[in-house]
Amino acid sequence: MPELAQKIRDIIKPENIVYAKSPLMNDDVMHYCPGCSHGVVHRLIGEVIEEMGIQDQTIGVSPVGCAVFAYKYIDIDWHEAAHGRAPAVATGIKRVMPEKYVFSYQGDGDLAAIGTAETFHAVNRGENIVMIFINNAIYGMTGGQMAPTTLVGQVTSTTPYGRNVDLNGYPLRITELLAQLPGAAYVTRQSVQNAAAVRKTKKAIRKAFEIQAMKKGTAFVEVVSTCSSGWKLSPVDSNKWMEENMFPQYPLGDLKDGTRADANDYSIKG
Amino acid sequence: MAKVRGAVVVDNEVCKGCNLCVVACPSRTLALNRDVNSKGYHYSYMENPENCNGCTNCSAVCPDSCITVYRVKVE
């Protein structure tokens, strides 16, 4: 149909662009599996940094895990941290260069397992950093082993009969715990399974960076994500599985929105 | 009422055929191609281009940032 082809050619012109890839995103093809939530969150971070115009003032700290190569995809300064230590490294960078925007990008194996101490103490100190937490309930990079956030009954390569509470304990809702800490300013849980959720997550990430600029305390954004390879499902089925099983355990929404606690509330009297 | 028409351009070599844009498309414009790209993925394409209204839902959910969306108002 040459008429239709001509019509489409008329639409595809630079002045008609409503969405194009952010110039902050490099041309490297992402190494993530098809349908991985990491790609969406990377893109949202790139778009937020571009819209805020802080490309030359932002330093990311990439974790150990699937997102270890995050520095290849967003055209900003990056630092690599040892497994779980991204909040500690981000603390150091932020203290040496307080005018920069510093964020850590971590998965659940990194942030909620090996890096629990660094995570808790960075938030408890109320460091002015942004922490982005990708919770896909599994160790994706190493072959789908059980993570602290794995759901009860979920089959992984180390829990072939499903996670058993007697043997493996309960899923760790670390975001709820962090919301209790006085240093936290903004704690939220979002997801990226459809376009509406993606837009909400982008707003949350933008708010987190703005809170860092206002020096209110730690901003923590959890993104409930899929791992289709680890879960052995197609990307579309993974999103369905996440909506049915993850959301009841990890309800979406803001857990804390304010500023870090006043020091007077915690100081000795007299 | 002004009618809106859109078009989607998919970077075939970057697309991994995850199908998320096809599910996210409210107007059933997109589908996975029967052909594959050099990596063997069935990349996404406009199966029904006349349906597209340029809503950008597909580009919002694309994990590989391989979708560019265009939109025009037709009087």
Side-chain angles (χ1 to χ4, degrees), chain A residues 4 7-8 11-13 16-21 29-30 32 34-36 39-40 43 194-195 198-199 235-236 239, chain B residues 6-7 9 16 18-20 23 39 41 49-50 55-57 59-65 67-72:
Chain A
L4 186 61
K7 266 187 188 171
I8 295 169
I11 299 171
I12 298 172
K13 284 177 183 165
N16 296 334
I17 288 182
V18 280
Y19 179 84
K21 185 173 158 179
V29 178
M30 292 196 186
Y32 302 116
C36 180
V40 182
R43 179 164 53 77
N194 57 36
V198 169
R199 289 176 183 126
V236 175
N239 277 340
Chain B
V9 175
K16 292 176 185 157
C18 69
N19 207 31
L20 292 181
V23 175
K39 287 183 183 156
Y41 292 122
E50 66 276 10
C55 71
T56 71
N57 273 13
S59 60
V61 297
C62 178
D64 294 285
S65 322
I67 299 180
T68 310
V69 185
Y70 300 82
R71 190 194 296 153
V72 286

Side-chain angles (χ1 to χ4, degrees), chain A residues 31-136:
Chain A
H31 70 283
Y32 302 116
C33 308
C36 180
S37 308
H38 273 302
V40 182
V41 182
H42 281 18
R43 179 164 53 77
L44 295 180
I45 294 170
E47 287 174 6
V48 166
I49 291 170
E50 185 204 348
E51 285 169 17
M52 292 176 72
I54 53 171
Q55 180 183 11
D56 52 351
Q57 305 162 48
T58 309
I59 301 169
V61 183
S62 61
V64 171
C66 284
V68 68
F69 297 126
Y71 56 80
K72 280 169 69 177
Y73 306 127
I74 310 177
D75 192 11
I76 54 172
D77 291 329
W78 285 91
H79 200 292
E80 178 63 53
H83 201 359
R85 274 64 190 177
V89 174
T91 298
I93 295 171
K94 184 71 183 176
R95 289 191 175 195
V96 173
M97 291 182 279
E99 74 286 358
K100 301 277 187 195
Y101 290 84
V102 182
F103 73 92
S104 73
Y105 185 101
Q106 300 173 270
D108 49 344
D110 193 79
L111 183 143
I114 192 165
T116 316
E118 281 77 7
T119 305
F120 268 94
H121 289 290
V123 178
N124 195 40
R125 290 192 304 268
E127 297 293 344
N128 283 312
I129 56 172
V130 173
M131 292 166 75
I132 300 193
F133 169 37
I134 307 296
N135 177 7
N136 56 11

